[in-house]
Amino acid sequence: MQSSALSPRRKPRSEPGSVRARGYKPGVLVLDDRCVPTAAMLSAVNQYGLPSQFLLSPGGSVYYDYINSTGAWNGWVTVGAGVGGNQIESGSFLQGARLRPYVDLLNDAGNIYFNSETSGGAFAGWTPVALGGNIREISAGTITLGSTPFLFTVDTSGNIGYTQRTASGAWTSLSPVGTGVGAMQIASGVVQTSTFPAEYEPYVCMFNGLGNVYFTERTPAGGWTSWSPVGINVGAQQISTITIGQRPMVVLLNGAGDIYSNQSNGAKGWVGWTPVSATGIHAIVQTSTVGSFNPYVFMFDSSFQLYSSTGQPGLWSSWNSLGTTPSPAAYAVTSAPNFAPFAFLVGTDGNSYWNFQANYGVWNGWVKIGPAPVA
């Protein structure tokens, strides 16, 4: 799962401790002298190969839509009472024998809430995850064993924290993962750390004010490994992560608008940075990385059109257009192992759209779903 409102590339600062809030709040952001209103934020979920999506509206409310038993989109429904909104992250976890979607919300006060679908198909309502932590960014995921939702957080000082949901439905207290690291952005995932017995642990990547990328993962004992460098002097302005073959992969967008990937070598090191497709693409936004039969990387070009590349480090395909679309205000992409990826978009025309692959690596084109909620 990945989500975003369309936001400009980050400009790393020279001070290693400096931080800057992400541009998720509804408004107008300037992207290379072109104004794009960020009318919403999307987050997408893939369950059993079928997509669903959450929308954070300009009014701060959260909505949910999914493909129903007839194969049509069901229509946007409100997800519980509004608590305001600045950022959302979504995923799915097992409740009984069925995967249920959930959504995490960060509001303007820096508080985090959680909501999930019940067995009756409704949503349970917002429950607090962390309050009063001055949080400015979240990154969500689900640990495979126990089907446990988790969250990484970044506060206004650039410190990174961690919490996870317990079997009772409560959340653990925020614990420190990186204090004084000056995190500008984070991206997280899960990796298998042991086969016998089977153990899975969360990991997080971040880049600091110098644009340097670092990695840490949780140990079975509950601690965190020392921050190890993934890329120094790489000028990271955006990052995303995915786990392929039980090895973390990091993708970055640099200041030149080029996108590179790097993957763990399985021995606590990294294979090195290689370009995703060709350099010189002048990407405006690198959206995210999702896993399918192969990993996919998405980016917006200077005309604000979405493209994808698939493959592996050093062997990426050329950039494939997803088709012409209205000016985007928000987007999301999602996939699940052994299922094809999906893409979603809210246009500045006020409508929501989706896209899927007609054949491997070939996109169907954007299909309008209908008006996106704004309240």
Side-chain angles (χ1 to χ4, degrees), residues 331-366:
Y331 58 82
V333 292
T334 186
S335 186
N338 300 323
F339 290 111
F342 299 92
F344 301 90
L345 182 144
V346 172
T348 55
D349 62 355
N351 291 308
S352 59
Y353 298 81
W354 76 304
N355 207 331
F356 54 90
Q357 289 196 357
N359 297 293
Y360 176 71
V362 179
W363 292 89
N364 176 74
W366 293 100

Side-chain angles (χ1 to χ4, degrees), residues 277-288:
S277 192
T279 58
I281 57 173
H282 305 298
I284 300 298
V285 176
Q286 177 243 319
T287 65
S288 56

Side-chain angles (χ1 to χ4, degrees), residues 10-28:
R10 296 173 181 273
K11 298 183 184 299
R13 297 182 179 182
S14 58
E15 305 88 351
S18 64
V19 295
R20 184 178 62 165
R22 299 182 78 183
Y24 281 117
K25 298 177 67 173
V28 174

